Amino acid sequence: MSSLNWTRDGGRLSLQGELDQDFLVPLWDARVEATRGAETIDISAITRVDTAGVALLVHLVALIRAEGRTVHIEGKSEKMTTFVQLYNLPEDALP
């Protein structure tokens, strides 16, 4: 069975596993703590993402920006870029 895990190392929040509706609730519940002090979200170890996962990433970016920090997402896949385009999200929604 797959899952979603995350770790923090300084200003880096690293996500591993499946970023989809079946597994993202624990990260949603911990979103404020998980993003506190983060400047980079590393999604290079994400194996699957759905629209709920994209929505959560957009929310995590907004939380980090609300604390006055610039945020960067590392490891975006072509599928992630396609989601952003299909949903006509602003280019900086997932920087």
Side-chain angles (χ1 to χ4, degrees):
M1 181 172 179
S2 296
S3 64
L4 174 64
N5 299 298
W6 64 94
T7 56
R8 281 288 309 279
D9 184 13
R12 176 180 295 274
L13 171 62
S14 298
L15 307 180
Q16 306 90 28
E18 296 187 25
L19 187 58
D20 70 18
Q21 67 181 357
D22 294 329
F23 303 110
L24 58 77
V25 172
L27 179 55
W28 173 260
D29 291 343
R31 66 193 179 280
V32 173
E33 182 180 322
T35 58
R36 189 173 293 125
E39 296 176 349
T40 300
I41 302 173
D42 182 355
I43 59 171
S44 60
I46 291 295
T47 57
R48 183 176 183 283
V49 64
D50 67 5
T51 55
V54 172
L56 177 58
L57 277 177
V58 169
H59 186 74
L60 296 177
V61 167
L63 284 173
I64 292 169
R65 287 180 174 157
E67 291 184 1
R69 289 187 315 285
T70 302
V71 61
H72 175 71
I73 296 181
E74 290 184 359
K76 286 184 278 190
S77 67
E78 186 174 319
K79 185 173 183 176
M80 182 71 66
T81 302
T82 300
F83 270 133
V84 170
Q85 293 169 344
L86 285 173
Y87 289 101
N88 201 26
L89 296 173
E91 286 185 28
D92 69 342
L94 296 175

